Amino acid sequence: MKYAVGFFVVAVLVTLFLLPIAELGFGTDKMNDLVAKYYISNGLADHGAANQVTGVVVSYRGFDTLGEVTVLLLASLGVGMLLAQRYDTERPRPGFVTEYGARFLAPYLLVFGAYIFIHGHLTPGGGFQGGAVVATTLALLYLVVMGFQRPRALYWIETLSGWVFAGLGIAGLIVSGSFLSQIMPLGQPYRLLSAGIIVPIYVAIGLKVGIELSDIVKYFYKGGDQA
Amino acid sequence: MIYYVFAFTLIGLGLFAIMFKKNLFKIVIGIELMTAGVNLLFIAVGFVVGGTAPIFEESAKFSGFVDPVPQALILTSIVIGAASVGLASALALRAGSAKGGDLDVH
């Protein structure tokens, strides 16, 4: 009875919200000279990235993305604090094929993740997507390789990536008076070395997101112990 | 249009799970369902018939893009969703182990 009433209430609520949205129409161009039109017509000249989503995320809304990376860092710190006292429980040892299959795949997956975040300004993807692939690789290794430890250098890389992002922002503040402004040459569009500060920022984001997301996975396995 | 209906169905199912499920992990799954529904709704609103992904290509002629702004917003939303689900399940695990493995809310 409670379920039925609840289901009915939710259904009515959802329909009430759906009706005004449905009036918008599906598939019609809703950009009429608003911000999206500006982004599309001026994007290539403003930030030089072929991928306009990357342009919006890293260039026009770069400050917002810095906040987003901070949220991810805080969440991973929170998970580490909450699960600090858990220890790895007994797990059955994975089979030979599983373990060595994962070890064989891992470098290729890492290269694929790196490709996605290095080419974030040219092809679909970017720092967050590539970081997710890197984190998936590390999660796979945690899952099947007994006693897997990440190299300690990753902690320094994560810190350094955060500083690269914030440092480029502050450098823009010093050089041209606004945070995260384009201080590097835009170069020729559609080339790997183009789009100025977008490439170093997205590489930094990719490394940072990959290491932080795998931190979260690690805490669920082992708790916040050493390394 | 069917995408709007589907997105709102996901949101409704998530809301239902949050309100009526007792198990903490099912509540976390409800939050994740709502996030997925909102993400799908934004992407569906930004879709334009005949539009391609908002990426310029050197060789291809420009022929209309879908709206890049909702896609950029949802990129943020997915990352925040992943972070919040990680934190929420850590909290749920902690609350469960404080009560001796009991994951239900009463």
Side-chain angles (χ1 to χ4, degrees):
Chain A
M1 186 59 202
K2 202 179 76 178
Y3 268 32
V5 172
F7 195 82
F8 182 72
V9 170
V10 169
V12 169
L13 250 172
V14 162
T15 317
L16 281 180
F17 278 106
L18 173 62
L19 288 177
I21 299 276
E23 275 173 28
L24 276 176
F26 178 71
T28 51
D29 194 338
K30 303 178 200 61
M31 294 187 267
N32 5 285
D33 288 336
L34 294 174
V35 65
K37 273 277 190 301
Y38 174 86
Y39 285 168
I40 287 177
S41 44
N42 299 30
L44 216 49
D46 275 354
H47 51 69
N51 187 339
Q52 294 311 299
V53 178
T54 297
V56 175
V57 167
V58 184
S59 188
Y60 293 119
R61 297 168 55 83
F63 191 56
D64 182 66
T65 304
L66 185 58
E68 182 185 352
V69 174
T70 314
V71 168
L72 198 59
L73 172 69
L74 289 177
S76 122
L77 281 178
V79 173
M81 266 170 62
L82 283 166
L83 302 180
Q85 284 156 22
R86 279 164 49 85
Y87 293 102
D88 208 0
T89 45
E90 283 291 311
R91 283 187 276 145
R93 199 181 163 79
F96 175 84
V97 175
T98 319
E99 181 172 343
Y100 283 86
R103 279 172 186 247
F104 172 76
L105 270 180
Y108 297 101
L109 285 170
L110 284 177
V111 169
F112 181 55
Y115 164 79
I116 291 179
F117 63 68
I118 291 171
H119 289 250
H121 57 306
L122 301 175
T123 54
F128 295 103
Q129 296 90 324
V133 174
V134 171
T136 313
T137 315
L138 292 172
L140 179 71
L141 290 174
Y142 274 123
L143 203 60
V144 299
V145 180
M146 299 306 266
F148 173 72
Q149 297 274 337
R150 292 176 307 176
R152 285 200 71 83
L154 287 188
Y155 292 88
W156 292 105
I157 293 175
E158 185 190 346
T159 314
L160 195 69
S161 318
W163 278 107
V164 165
F165 194 169
L168 277 168
I170 293 169
L173 197 61
I174 292 168
V175 172
S176 66
S178 71
F179 195 74
L180 279 172
S181 58
Q182 275 285 7
I183 49 166
M184 284 161 68
L186 287 183
Q188 201 187 352
Y190 313 112
R191 296 289 173 272
L192 183 58
L193 288 177
S194 65
I197 61 170
I198 286 180
V199 183
I201 285 180
Y202 242 7
V203 170
I205 290 176
L207 292 170
K208 197 167 168 57
V209 167
I211 296 166
E212 269 164 11
L213 284 179
S214 66
D215 260 346
I216 292 180
V217 174
K218 183 195 78 174
Y219 292 137
F220 276 97
Y221 268 102
K222 292 185 76 91
D225 54 351
Q226 80 293 333
Chain B
M1 193 60 72
I2 188 77
Y3 291 97
Y4 293 166
V5 176
F6 189 61
F8 271 99
T9 312
L10 277 178
I11 295 173
L13 285 174
L15 193 62
F16 188 76
I18 291 170
M19 291 197 312
F20 289 100
K21 287 293 170 188
K22 294 259 190 306
N23 189 305
L24 283 172
F25 274 104
K26 289 181 181 167
I27 295 176
V28 174
I29 291 171
I31 297 173
E32 184 71 341
L33 272 178
M34 281 185 87
T35 315
V38 172
N39 293 350
L40 184 65
L41 178 69
F42 266 66
I43 298 297
V45 168
F47 177 69
V48 177
V49 171
T52 57
I55 301 170
F56 286 109
E57 281 175 59
E58 201 168 10
S59 47
K61 198 159 68 61
F62 175 76
S63 63
F65 284 160
V66 298
D67 197 341
V69 178
Q71 298 203 0
L73 290 177
I74 293 311
L75 184 53
T76 307
S77 160
I78 290 170
V79 176
I80 303 297
S84 62
V85 163
L87 195 56
S89 24
L91 276 169
L93 218 79
R94 206 66 194 136
S97 65
K99 292 195 294 178
D102 181 17
L103 281 170
D104 286 1
V105 284
H106 297 291

